[in-house]
Amino acid sequence: KQEVTQIPAALSVPEGENLVLNCSFTDSAIYNLQWFRQDPGKGLTSLLLIQSSQREQTSGRLNASLDKSSGRSTLYIAASQPGDSATYLCAVAYSGGGADGLTFGKGTHLIIQP
Amino acid sequence: GAVVSQHPSRVICKSGTSVKIECRSLDFQATTMFWYRQFPKKSLMLMATSNEGSKATYEQGVEKDKFLINHASLTLSTLTVTSAHPEDSSFYICSAPDRSENTIYFGEGSWLTVV
């Protein structure tokens, strides 16, 4: 059974800091990995998608890396802002187009202090 | 705008009643849709795979008679929670893969509270 683990479970930092969220997965035969953001009472917002052949993806202040062989991904958030406060979820797909659904981690609850 | 629409976003129902949640793909056809459930402080867990024109595939531990899934068309899947109990209170979210874009889209989610 594939497992996705996210560390830390919760993180609180002052505004302006750079931070790293970690995700690890037990089965390295992934198709792709996604990072999502979930705001309280809301659905999911896809942040970055990394294909298994890629090493990183960037979008604005966000950078996600993938080390497939070691089963790890990191989400780097630069110059954090209070608006970044949310739960960040890592999810892995083991087949193309999410044909078998995604396996999610439990998330990292992030609080950026003004 | 949203490419997968989920309705209702919030619903409160009484114990013993049934409630239906709809998931629609707006700009593409989805032969497969997925239903997830998320309990507080837990990860999203795949409940079942909805297949257009055939029976849904349920994950281990998910009662198929309690969580009825119907994929009536290429753009609509419904999840019906039958004889709801307070422990069914959760966040339910659907997703649909757009194979032409090799992308999976999520609905906005539905908060179910059973009182």
Side-chain angles (χ1 to χ4, degrees):
Chain A
K1 178 182 176 182
Q2 302 95 342
E3 289 187 6
V4 177
T5 304
Q6 289 187 247
I7 296 173
L11 182 63
S12 180
V13 299
E15 179 179 6
E17 284 199 8
N18 303 322
L19 53 97
V20 175
L21 308 182
N22 297 291
C23 172
S24 61
F25 41 95
T26 54
D27 186 344
S28 62
I30 68 170
Y31 187 82
N32 61 42
L33 182 146
Q34 281 193 15
W35 283 93
F36 293 89
R37 170 182 173 142
Q38 185 177 30
D39 292 283
K42 303 289 185 180
L44 301 179
T45 301
S46 180
L47 298 173
L48 290 165
L49 169 68
I50 310 178
Q51 301 294 343
S52 62
S53 59
Q54 297 175 324
R55 286 199 169 266
E56 66 177 344
Q57 284 286 334
T58 299
S59 176
R61 294 182 293 106
L62 304 179
N63 175 277
S65 67
L66 175 64
D67 185 342
K68 184 180 169 183
S69 61
S70 67
R72 296 183 181 185
S73 175
T74 60
L75 179 66
Y76 176 81
I77 303 176
S80 57
Q81 303 171 357
D84 295 331
S85 298
T87 296
Y88 290 81
L89 296 168
C90 167
V92 173
Y94 286 94
S95 59
D100 295 323
L102 301 179
T103 301
F104 283 85
K106 291 184 179 181
T108 293
H109 181 53
L110 176 64
I111 297 174
I112 307 298
Q113 306 156 10
Chain B
V3 294
V4 173
S5 176
Q6 195 171 333
H7 177 81
S9 59
R10 293 184 180 274
V11 58
I12 300 174
C13 70
K14 293 184 178 180
S15 290
T17 62
S18 296
V19 60
K20 181 186 290 186
I21 302 170
E22 294 186 346
C23 180
R24 294 181 184 273
S25 57
L26 302 180
D27 299 321
F28 63 97
Q29 294 181 334
T31 57
T32 304
M33 291 186 180
F34 303 96
W35 288 96
Y36 296 84
R37 178 172 55 186
Q38 183 182 34
F39 292 109
K41 299 185 179 180
K42 301 289 185 182
S43 62
L44 281 145
M45 297 297 293
L46 180 64
M47 297 176 64
T49 302
S50 173
N51 304 299
E52 190 270 336
S54 63
K55 293 182 179 180
T57 305
Y58 291 82
E59 296 299 303
Q60 189 174 9
V62 178
E63 300 175 58
K64 62 179 181 181
D65 294 329
K66 179 171 184 61
F67 298 99
L68 301 180
I69 291 174
N70 184 279
H71 199 139
S73 73
L74 287 171
T75 59
L76 173 64
S77 174
T78 60
L79 168 67
T80 301
V81 183
T82 63
S83 187
H85 289 276
E87 56 263 33
D88 297 326
S89 299
S90 184
F91 180 69
Y92 295 85
I93 193 166
C94 69
S95 71
D98 182 348
R99 300 192 190 282
S100 66
E101 295 185 359
N102 200 28
T103 301
I104 191 162
Y105 294 101
F106 281 81
E108 303 94 332
S110 299
W111 285 97
L112 170 63
T113 302
V114 184
V115 297

